[in-house]
Amino acid sequence: MKSFKESLNEASLSRVYQHTKGTNIGMISAHSDRNTPEENKANHERLAQDIRKAGFGHVNVHGKYIMNKGEPNEHAVTEKSYLVIGKKGDDSGNLKGFLKKHGEKYGQESVLHKAHDEEDAKLHYTGGTQKGQIVNAGKFHPNRAADYQSAMRGGKTTFTFESVEYRVPKSFFFRNEELF
């Protein structure tokens, strides 16, 4: 028999999966390794206010990825992030515009957006040398762990967006440019 916590995790993941169908969703963070922990906390709270003020819902998640993968200074990173939930159906690009604007505002290299009528999510670069580029991040995969994933509820419930085109797991939290 499943524990209450396991059932809650499955219900939450099921809800996230439902949002990937017919609803505009995105992933964004205000975390930066250039900031102090206090600055990251303040930015995270401001981003939550920005999301609510714009009329979107959000789910707290932790992004997990490998920074500088394959290099001597490679290391695992976990950052607080948001799964942003837009409206069902066509929103005239409102959520995508919000994500890109706030990705720049909070110094993010990229944000992820999945339109209501598409299976694959897209990674939109909002900073760095790839600014303005768009990369296919693939389909939503619940309960799949990868080098680049999102986790809910203490890290026990994970999901990722990954593209078979590159044969390497990728998600919003993917920061290694060499595979593109």
Side-chain angles (χ1 to χ4, degrees), residues 108-165:
Q108 298 302 298
E109 187 173 304
S110 61
V111 296
L112 182 132
H113 176 258
K114 193 197 91 48
H116 73 286
D117 59 349
E118 295 181 7
E119 284 290 315
D120 291 354
K122 305 286 190 287
L123 197 61
H124 296 265
Y125 282 90
T126 57
T129 59
Q130 290 184 295
K131 185 175 180 175
Q133 292 185 27
I134 302 169
V135 175
N136 185 354
K139 294 172 182 42
F140 176 82
H141 292 282
N143 280 333
R144 184 176 291 178
D147 283 347
Y148 313 98
Q149 66 186 13
S150 300
M152 301 167 36
R153 307 224 180 247
K156 299 205 186 251
T157 306
T158 62
F159 62 91
T160 187
F161 288 89
E162 59 182 297
S163 171
V164 281
E165 179 181 350

